[in-house]
Amino acid sequence: PGLIIIQFVVDDEGELSNLHCLQSSNCPAYDKIVLEIIGKLDKDFDWVAGRHLGKPVCVRFKLPLRVCFKSE
């Protein structure tokens, strides 16, 4: 198994930005696919901005994903 850690920001308007891979699975093709999938979540989900003192703020997330490689 490999661990990929993706980091992104939900900005003050609830949009994803600054999407990148903090830790690679050592397989660039898998990393690219995971980044594409997470990037598409911006269109499929309603992200909610963080709030501080009642005002919307940007929030940084780190998302760990464990991937398993299977041979055919």
Side-chain angles (χ1 to χ4, degrees), residues 2-49:
L3 180 66
I4 302 172
I5 300 178
I6 303 299
Q7 181 173 288
F8 58 92
V9 172
V10 177
D11 69 17
D12 57 357
E13 295 180 357
E15 303 289 327
L16 293 186
S17 63
N18 300 329
L19 181 68
H20 64 278
C21 186
L22 285 181
Q23 180 175 319
S24 173
S25 66
N26 295 321
C27 179
Y30 280 101
D31 297 346
K32 182 180 176 185
I33 290 168
V34 168
L35 285 171
E36 288 174 5
I37 291 169
I38 300 299
K40 289 180 181 181
L41 291 178
D42 191 26
K43 297 177 182 93
D44 296 336
F45 291 96
D46 292 326
W47 294 90
V48 178

